[in-house]
């Protein structure tokens, strides 16, 4: 689109009623305000201009719809895999170091013989 953005509103007499007109750019031709494909007709010229302003507002500020996706289950088993990996890492640490490292600190593991 070439031209300067300059929304403009007008009306056109039509069979004793008025049709609202608008244009968004100064170099653009006038367009009818339409509802269900047919031009809208108003009783007075001021109603027609208000209808044109409302149409331009709807064009420039469309309704925004948002959807929320539902949370799905852990289909691939990623959470269980992370738990298994953490358990294996803890076992490896305990076997090699004799302690488990938690938040950068070693926590000693006590081994007790089972009481019979």
């Amino acid at each position: 689109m070439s031209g300067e953005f300059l929304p403009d509103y007008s009306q056109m007499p039509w069979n004793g009623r008025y049709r609202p007109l608008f244009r968004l750019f100064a170099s653009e031709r006038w367009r009818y305000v339409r509802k269900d494909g047919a031009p809208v007709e108003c009783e007075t010229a001021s109603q027609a201009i208000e209808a044109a302003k409302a149409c331009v507002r709807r064009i420039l500020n469309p309704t925004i719809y948002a959807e929320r996706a539902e949370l799905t289950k852990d289909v691939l088993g990623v959470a269980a895999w992370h738990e298994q990996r953490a358990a294996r890492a803890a076992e490896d640490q305990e076997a090699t170091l004799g302690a488990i490292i938690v938040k950068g600190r070693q926590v000693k593991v006590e081994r007790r013989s089972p009481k019979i």
Side-chain angles (χ1 to χ4, degrees):
M1 293 249 160
S2 62
E4 186 176 327
F5 179 71
L6 178 68
D8 200 6
Y9 319 101
S10 184
Q11 46 75 28
M12 181 177 79
W14 185 266
N15 294 337
R17 300 182 81 183
Y18 296 91
R19 286 187 173 176
L21 302 168
F22 71 94
R23 63 182 178 182
L24 296 176
F25 294 89
S27 62
E28 196 176 57
R29 62 187 195 131
W30 291 97
R31 293 191 277 175
Y32 289 115
V33 173
R34 296 181 179 272
K35 184 173 185 181
D36 299 326
V40 174
E41 293 185 358
C42 300
E43 296 295 323
T44 65
S46 62
Q47 287 177 347
I49 290 175
E50 288 302 316
K53 287 180 181 181
C55 179
V56 169
R57 264 189 240 111
R58 280 193 310 271
I59 291 170
L60 297 178
N61 302 315
T63 305
I64 298 172
Y65 297 99
E67 294 182 12
R68 287 196 162 193
E70 67 177 65
L71 297 175
T72 58
K73 297 180 210 171
D74 188 16
V75 179
L76 300 176
V78 176
W81 178 80
H82 279 292
E83 290 176 9
Q84 291 171 357
R85 189 177 83 174
R88 271 194 314 250
E91 288 175 9
D92 291 344
Q93 287 176 2
E94 182 182 346
T96 56
L97 303 174
I100 297 175
I101 298 173
V102 178
K103 295 183 182 178
R105 293 184 177 200
Q106 284 188 358
V107 178
K108 291 200 175 196
V109 177
E110 284 186 23
R111 297 182 200 236
R112 295 183 183 180
S113 60
K115 294 181 180 177
I116 302 176

